Structure formats: structure tokens, C-alpha cells
Amino acid sequence: MSWTDERIATLKKMWEGGSTASQIADELGGVSRNAVIGKAHRLGLKSRPSPVKANEKKKAAPAKPKPAPKPAAKKAAPKPAAPKPAAPAAPAQPTTPPASRQDASPSQPMPNKNSDLPKIVSVGPGGFLRQGPGDQQAPIPPAPPRRLVPAKPSPEIADKTSLLDLSDKVCRWPMGHPGEPDFHFCGEAVNPGFPYCVEHCGRAYQAQLPRGARRPPPPLPFGGPRVR
DNA sequence: CCCTGATTCGC
DNA sequence: GCGAATCAGG
């Protein structure tokens, strides 16, 4: 099974919607939970409340040698030892960031603790120049003069809210299962501040019962096993 | 045990 | 890029 655009879109929606990797994998079908997680990370979306990383300290991070004495897989492992060069512990000149190889990570704006440089210019992933906060220059993305015609994937869901119709204004509650011909979303006006309409908020936000005390199959989005 | 997500690493 | 194996916490 390959990651088509639709499957990726579904993955994103469900991941951001709070579905677990297992649920997503179940809905997509043909992929494992691990595949979903791996793909999600490769897509850049990560860091959702994970049981293993529940708490995070804001204090100064203690030295983490990262032992990771990971024995290679039980398959062929001709890898007795591959010591990685540890990062330099004490840079003598912390105030000399080479502007030519700035970190290109778009998700972590680097705090400018360097008062020497009038501005920071770095190169983004696509080769574009990243601007500082003060820089004013709006390369306004040209509005595509395209006229998209196919607004009707199929008559089946002609007047229903499809995955692509989702916005902050409409209820994202899924109706049916992704991949099925009539899969769509509620599309009602949202309960302000929530991703769902009032009715579905009532379904989405319920008091969490203790794990052992769950009786009715939770009518959560994408929740139950596929029913046909 | 079950669940969860994170990470690694051979493919 | 993909995902099974593995890790690690709840």
C-alpha cells in the first residue's frame, strides 16, 4: 500500500484530530500502526501527547549521554561498534554562527541572542531567503488565476462536506469511514471554539471513564471497527 | 498484560 | 521513503 495524497490527507486530519495511530492505521488499512507513526513523523507532524513523553522539564537539561546501547536487529548485524563523534561540548566562540549554514528547521525559530548582526539571513529549505521580523517585503504569493472546475468528485457526496471542504467554521465530525464512497464530514456550523458543531461536541467531549470501566463502544470519530 | 507514541535502521 | 523492530512510559 502506498501513501497517496488522499491517504496522507486522511492521516493528517486524523492525527491532528486526535485519533490514535492505531485507529488511523485501522481506517487506512493495509498499514501498521508503526507505519502511520513513521509517516506522520516524516510528514513533520509529531509531538502529540504521548504516554512515554508525558512530562517535560523546563529546567536546564541535564547532560544526556544517550547511551542507546541498541543491539542491532536480530537480523544480520555486522556492526560491532560504531561510535558516533560526540558533539563538541564547549564551543570557544558561541557568538559566531555561520550565516551560511543556519539551521533550516522551519519549526524552531532561533532566538537571536547575537546583537552584533543587524539582521539574520538564512536560507530556507526551498532556497528562499528567510526574513527577519523587521524586514518588510511581501512577495505576495500570486493568486492563482486558475479556475478549478472539478468541485464534484462524485455525485454521491456532491452536497456533503468532503475532506477538502473542512475549515475552522464547519464541524469536522466524520460521517462514515474514510475511503468509502459516501464518506464525508458533518459540515454544520461549529460550536465556537471547537472543531465540532454543538451536537457533536456533546459526543466528542465526554467524561473519560477509567480504562477498566468502559462499557459502551465509544462513539468517537473513526473509533469503532469498520461496520458494514 | 494491555495500550500509547518515539526512535532506529535495514531495506 | 518506508515500516518492522524496538524502546519506553502509562
Side-chain angles (χ1 to χ4, degrees), chain A residues 100 102-108 121-131:
Chain A
S100 56
Q102 264 319 38
D103 188 335
S105 169
S107 60
Q108 281 292 352
V121 177
S122 59
V123 178
F128 61 89
L129 290 184
R130 310 174 79 183
Q131 302 178 52

Side-chain angles (χ1 to χ4, degrees), chain A residues 23-127:
Chain A
Q23 290 173 330
I24 300 174
D26 193 53
E27 289 299 335
L28 290 176
V31 289
S32 67
R33 176 183 74 94
N34 285 319
V36 169
I37 295 176
K39 181 59 180 177
H41 286 191
R42 265 173 256 123
L43 286 172
L45 25 99
K46 60 176 192 297
S47 154
R48 279 200 312 146
S50 80
V52 71
K53 269 191 173 179
N55 42 15
E56 182 178 350
K57 294 178 181 178
K58 290 183 179 179
K59 297 287 184 176
K64 193 176 183 182
K66 182 189 180 297
K70 186 189 186 81
K74 46 188 166 183
K75 300 173 184 177
K79 196 177 184 183
K84 296 179 181 179
Q93 288 286 350
T95 62
T96 14
S100 56
R101 72 169 295 282
Q102 264 319 38
D103 188 335
S105 169
S107 60
Q108 281 292 352
M110 175 173 287
N112 181 11
K113 49 186 172 182
N114 196 334
S115 57
D116 298 358
L117 295 179
K119 64 166 61 177
I120 286 189
V121 177
S122 59
V123 178

Side-chain angles (χ1 to χ4, degrees), chain A residues 25 29 45 62 66 68 75 87 122 132 148-149 156 186 192 198 203 223:
Chain A
L45 25 99
K66 182 189 180 297
K75 300 173 184 177
S122 59
L148 300 180
V149 182
E156 189 74 35
C186 172
V198 176
R203 293 235 266 155

